[in-house]
Amino acid sequence: MLPLTWDQVRRFLGPTLAQASLPEGAPPVCVDGLSTDSRSIGKGEWFVPIVGETFDGHAYVGEVMQRGAAGFLYQAERVTGPVPAGGIAVTDTLAAFQALAHGWRMSLKDVGLLALTGSTGKTTCKEMLGLILKAAGPALATEASFNNEIGVPKTLLALRPEHRYGALEFGARMPGNIRFLCEMSLPNVVGLINVGITHVGIFGSVQALLDTKLEIFRDSPDHTVQVAFGDDPRILAGAKATKKQTLVFGRLPEADVRIIGERWRDDGGMTLDLSVVGKTQKVELSSAHQAYPVNAAAAAAMATAAGIPLDAVVSGLQAFRGIKGRYQIHQLRNLTLIDDTYNASPDSMISGMSSLARSFAGKTKVLVLGDMLELGDESATEHARVGAYAGANVKPEWLYVVGTDAQHIAAGATGAGFPASRVQAFATIDQLLAADIPFADRGEVLFAKASNGMRLGRLVERLKGGAR
């Protein structure tokens, strides 16, 4: 456990502290003992009750204290009845949690933080980057997709003085989100890997989405080194506008980290030829995906910006083995299952299907595609575009669609000449599972993808468990 002194707690909380003095005789607050989850809080940890739109963690303060929590933060107006002993009153529990994370990050002067964002591929790129950093020395990478206003402070509080590096992933649900995460984390290196139309329904326009993603350049500290995807002139222009030191990655001849070539191997992997600041290097990846070359180049560029040697870049990338729910390949007894169910956007849908068609050419294929959420007014058009690509380019044996907007996937496929007799639509994942389709009899490879809210992962777990 890493205890903070009460003086540190007072300084870190700053204006979020809402009481004149800290509790006397209370156990110290430990940076690795701050939990926002009442269900898993352990003995000796401090509870931070978060207030959400449909829940309020303050309802569980008494329960966690009875289970042995050391103390808790709280907003006085949120607690009904007497306040249990051992609490620290704050103006806003989430803001206080973030303030503690920022203060802890500020105390770790020797830890280099590398933060990236993008519309698609953030977590894959972050995992690649994390493996590179760990090959260079003690390092920490964001767990799963902890990339928001709660997840990022959790990662910051997991940093240790012995860490040399940390890899962070920044997400955005509205303008200003990435700016806030930059100000809290103070990254040394930042990267923008792409800008698509994911969440455009929330932002209202592609331009608003682009402007938000560019916050990672505009609102990072002046000393930050920027890493920009040079193949997208919007991203490159946004980086250059800040006048900060910038490294460029992509396929452009002038890129600092350039993708020279890629070969899809018969064993399902791929070989990349990268030029890293003038040095050509071969990288062997254990699996192939259309997005991996750009993801690998982005991770290599960010690591290079942080001064990581090339041998660590190569060994880190070659240690990458994929991520659950993100084009992860499972070889079942009588079916190859590709689990890409964690999330979906039009670009990632087409990228995944393109990778499927290229890696499994000559194999019979089944597609299970579901709704892509948060596309706003573009939803029908984009679902139809995905369906047209599936019908014209993948040409599966069967196409199963799940959800309301997925009807447009079906329409796009049949409009591209795919036979309607080979399309089956379901309103929900429950209906699909109830149909008990013998997928192994329908094709040799099954590819499943949708937004996470469609819960197609339930199909994956059933198939992995041996059911049809």
Side-chain angles (χ1 to χ4, degrees):
M1 301 286 275
L2 287 171
L4 297 173
T5 67
W6 283 113
D7 181 62
Q8 284 177 307
V9 173
R10 183 181 290 106
R11 286 190 292 108
F12 290 176
L13 286 175
T16 68
L17 182 62
Q19 61 187 52
S21 61
L22 296 170
E24 292 186 10
V29 176
C30 294
V31 294
D32 50 350
L34 284 162
S35 175
T36 61
D37 189 346
S38 64
R39 298 164 299 180
S40 61
I41 194 164
K43 187 176 178 63
E45 293 185 331
W46 279 70
F47 178 48
V48 183
I50 302 298
V51 179
E53 292 183 3
T54 59
F55 65 90
D56 186 346
H58 288 83
Y60 305 100
V61 167
E63 177 185 327
V64 299
M65 292 301 290
Q66 289 178 1
R67 295 210 316 266
F72 58 96
L73 305 183
Y74 71 99
Q75 295 169 215
E77 75 279 7
R78 292 282 178 175
V79 179
T80 57
V83 179
I88 299 176
V90 295
T91 58
D92 182 288
T93 50
L94 177 56
F97 185 56
Q98 295 161 341
L100 289 170
H102 173 71
W104 179 241
R105 190 278 177 269
M106 288 285 288
S107 73
L108 302 175
K109 304 294 185 183
D110 297 328
V111 178
L113 291 186
L114 295 79
L116 63 89
T117 192
S119 293
T120 60
K122 292 187 296 295
T123 301
T124 297
C125 187
K126 178 264 300 177
E127 288 296 313
M128 289 179 171
L129 178 59
L131 290 168
I132 293 171
L133 298 181
K134 289 173 183 176
L140 177 75
T142 297
E143 183 180 341
S145 292
F146 286 0
N147 61 16
N148 63 9
E149 69 279 6
I150 298 175
V152 172
K154 284 182 178 180
T155 302
L156 295 177
L157 289 165
L159 289 168
R160 300 291 172 265
E162 62 267 24
H163 285 137
R164 290 177 61 193
Y165 307 103
L168 304 177
E169 176 185 333
F170 288 174
R173 303 286 292 180
M174 65 182 68
N177 282 163
I178 292 176
R179 177 178 67 248
F180 174 77
L181 297 176
C182 282
E183 292 170 348
M184 178 170 55
S185 305
L186 302 176
N188 304 89
V189 176
V190 295
L192 178 50
I193 60 175
N194 54 47
V195 177
I197 66 169
T198 306
H199 305 314
V200 73
I202 294 175
F203 287 89
S205 70
V206 173
Q207 185 60 48
L209 177 59
L210 172 65
D211 289 342
T212 298
K213 295 297 185 183
L214 289 173
E215 290 172 4
I216 202 162
F217 294 151
R218 293 195 305 267
D219 298 302
S220 56
D222 291 340
H223 67 266
T224 301
V225 181
Q226 303 175 145
V227 172
F229 182 37
D231 295 16
D232 188 330
R234 304 170 303 168
I235 294 176
L236 191 55
K240 290 182 176 179
T242 68
K243 309 298 184 185
K244 298 173 188 175
Q245 182 181 349
T246 302
L247 267 68
V248 177
F249 71 94
R251 292 184 169 86
L252 294 178
E254 60 270 26
D256 299 288
V257 175
R258 182 161 64 96
I259 304 164
I260 300 173
E262 59 188 74
R263 292 183 298 283
W264 294 56
R265 303 193 306 268
D266 293 339
D267 63 359
M270 70 190 316
T271 300
L272 305 180
D273 293 314
L274 299 179
S275 173
V276 181
V277 194
K279 297 180 180 178
T280 302
Q281 183 64 54
K282 193 180 302 296
V283 177
E284 305 287 352
L285 298 180
S286 63
S287 59
H289 189 283
Q290 182 174 302
Y292 285 176
V294 170
N295 289 336
M302 293 188 69
T304 301
I308 304 297
L310 184 56
D311 60 344
V313 172
V314 175
S315 62
L317 288 175
Q318 294 186 160
F320 179 71
R321 294 292 181 269
I323 308 170
K324 181 180 179 181
R326 293 173 172 86
Y327 203 84
Q328 190 172 49
I329 301 173
H330 302 280
Q331 194 61 58
L332 308 182
R333 181 170 55 88
N334 52 2
L335 181 70
T336 298
L337 170 63
I338 302 178
D339 175 11
D340 208 2
T341 59
Y342 180 77
N343 223 332
S345 69
D347 290 342
S348 68
M349 276 276 201
I350 290 174
S351 179
M353 288 190 290
S354 173
S355 303
L356 166 75
R358 191 166 181 178
S359 290
F360 297 94
K363 300 276 189 180
T364 54
K365 305 169 187 67
V366 174
L367 298 180
V368 181
L369 307 179
D371 284 359
M372 301 174 288
L373 305 178
E374 299 172 353
L375 293 180
D377 293 340
E378 302 297 320
S379 187
T381 300
E382 291 300 322
H383 280 84
R385 180 166 72 94
V386 164
Y389 184 90
N393 297 88
V394 182
K395 299 177 181 177
E397 296 298 301
W398 287 88
L399 170 62
Y400 299 94
V401 299
V402 182
T404 302
D405 286 337
Q407 63 180 314
H408 300 295
I409 296 178
T414 55
F418 189 76
S421 60
R422 295 276 174 160
V423 179
Q424 196 166 352
F426 300 90
T428 65
I429 181 63
D430 289 321
Q431 290 185 11
L432 173 68
L433 295 176
D436 198 25
I437 299 166
F439 289 110
D441 297 336
R442 301 289 169 90
E444 297 168 279
V445 184
L446 185 148
F447 174 81
K449 189 168 181 65
S451 284
N452 196 31
M454 300 307 296
R455 302 173 68 194
L456 282 195
R458 292 174 57 196
L459 171 65
V460 172
E461 293 308 312
R462 171 183 282 199
L463 293 172
K464 287 169 59 180
R468 294 188 300 176

